């Protein structure tokens, strides 16, 4: 029965699927990052492991290279590094490790490396997970809204391709940052108010108070 809907349910990042997920949660959000834009500076000049799930999201090693030159890409055995990507990575002097990760190592939420399934230990000073995200937007599937990748396409007032459905924050195309999500909310609310206002006549003047 709602006249308008603002979808604000965000996304959740996929994490390395280890048998013991507690081990991932011990470090994720500390020095095992998920957001280059948010936390890139914390990886400056550090020995960083990038944990990717596709050749596409492995490309994050290149913008990360602005912060640090010591980068190891962990494919976790999930995808093949094609010749073009392999060459680009080699040219930058980054390492590639295809053996899956057994567990993250460290203490007090500070990850210091990984143990691989073949028993090797690789030392690291920070990590960046780049494995895509799950969009909390299944409830919108019936509307067949326009998307780019997984993100909802919106106009400058956060309106989707449906005139009465708005999407804000991480669900939509744009930068995944708190201030953007908050600003989107203000835009969507303002536009909804405008729509409602334009569909209704202004309040009738109190004729007793009209000056003659
Ligand atoms: C580890 C990490 C670090 C980050 N660091 C920064 C940073 O330093 N600076 C920065 O600006 N941004 C940072 N971000 C990004 C920032 O958190 C997001 O861009 C921002 O929170 C997006 O806001 P949102 O409202 O779109 O979604 P969210 O903040 O994710 O809020 C969505 C909410 O909807 C709820 N929800 C989901 N499905 C449903 C449903 N069906 N019904 C009801 N509720 C539902 C969720 O539980 C959640 O509470 C970081 C993100 C992560 C994961």
């Amino acid at each position: 029965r709602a006249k308008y809907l603002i979808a604000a349910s965000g996304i959740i990042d996929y994490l390395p699927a280890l048998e013991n997920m507690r081990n991932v949660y011990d470090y994720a959000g500390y020095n095992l990052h998920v957001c280059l834009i948010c936390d890139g500076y914390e990886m400056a000049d550090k020995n960083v492991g990038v944990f990717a799930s596709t050749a596409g999201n492995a490309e994050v090693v290149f913008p990360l290279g602005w912060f640090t030159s010591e980068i190891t890409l962990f494919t976790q055995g999930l995808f093949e590094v094609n010749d073009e990507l392999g060459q680009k990575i080699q040219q930058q002097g980054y390492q590639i490790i295809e053996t899956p990760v057994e567990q993250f190592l460290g203490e007090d939420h500070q990850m210091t490396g990984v143990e691989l399934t073949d028993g090797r230990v690789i030392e690291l000073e920070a990590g960046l997970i780049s494995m895509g995200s799950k969009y909390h937007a299944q409830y919108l599937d019936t509307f067949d809204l326009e998307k780019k990748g997984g993100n909802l396409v919106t106009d400058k007032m956060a309106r989707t391709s449906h005139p009465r459905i708005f999407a804000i924050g991480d669900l939509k195309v744009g930068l995944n940052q708190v201030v953007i999500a908050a600003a989107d909310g203000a835009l969507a609310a303002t536009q909804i108010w405008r729509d409602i206002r334009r569909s209704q006549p202004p309040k009738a003047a109190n004729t007793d108070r009209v000056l003659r």
Side-chain angles (χ1 to χ4, degrees):
R1 287 200 295 269
K3 283 189 181 158
Y4 289 86
L5 187 146
I6 301 178
S9 35
I11 61 172
I12 191 152
D13 299 298
Y14 290 120
L15 301 175
L18 303 189
E19 211 165 290
N20 174 15
M21 285 309 290
R22 182 74 258 160
N23 173 251
V24 183
Y25 303 139
D26 271 349
Y27 305 107
Y30 292 90
N31 69 338
L32 183 53
H33 305 281
V34 293
C35 174
L36 178 64
I37 299 287
C38 313
D39 301 332
Y41 69 97
E42 292 196 38
M43 293 178 265
D45 299 321
K46 292 204 168 139
N47 176 10
V48 180
V50 171
F51 303 89
S53 57
T54 66
N57 55 38
E59 298 259 348
V60 75
V61 295
F62 302 115
L64 176 63
W66 190 84
F67 291 101
T68 183
S69 59
E70 279 187 86
I71 297 173
T72 304
L73 171 66
F74 293 85
T75 69
Q76 307 169 87
L78 295 174
F79 65 98
E80 297 270 322
V81 175
N82 59 42
D83 289 347
E84 194 189 339
L85 178 62
Q87 263 176 21
K88 267 173 81 182
I89 287 176
Q90 211 175 11
Q91 275 166 11
Q92 297 300 319
Y94 307 152
Q95 307 296 312
I96 300 176
I97 292 183
E98 297 186 310
T99 311
V101 171
E102 177 68 30
Q103 62 169 333
F104 291 95
L105 304 171
E107 57 182 330
D108 289 339
H109 306 296
Q110 290 304 300
M111 192 267 296
T112 55
V114 288
E115 181 188 340
L116 304 177
T117 51
D118 61 11
R120 277 183 295 158
V121 168
I122 311 295
E123 289 186 4
L124 298 169
E125 294 172 296
L128 177 63
I129 297 170
S130 179
M131 298 181 62
S133 312
K134 177 180 163 66
Y135 291 75
H136 290 142
Q138 298 90 322
Y139 58 93
L140 296 174
D141 283 352
T142 53
F143 296 101
D144 196 24
L145 302 175
E146 186 186 349
K147 286 184 185 170
K148 195 170 176 188
N151 294 95
L152 290 163
V153 172
T154 58
D155 68 10
K156 63 180 184 179
M157 295 305 280
R159 194 197 305 259
T160 68
S161 52
H162 186 292
R164 290 181 294 113
I165 299 179
F166 291 71
I168 68 168
D170 291 358
L171 279 185
K172 55 175 262 297
V173 173
L175 198 58
N176 291 1
Q177 293 278 277
V178 169
V179 289
I180 304 285
D184 286 341
L187 291 170
T190 302
Q191 188 57 48
I192 290 169
W193 169 70
R194 283 177 182 160
D195 286 2
I196 293 170
R197 172 168 61 83
R198 285 169 188 159
S199 69
Q200 293 171 351
K203 292 206 168 177
N206 180 346
T207 47
D208 293 345
R209 296 183 58 198
V210 173
L211 295 176
R212 295 178 194 277

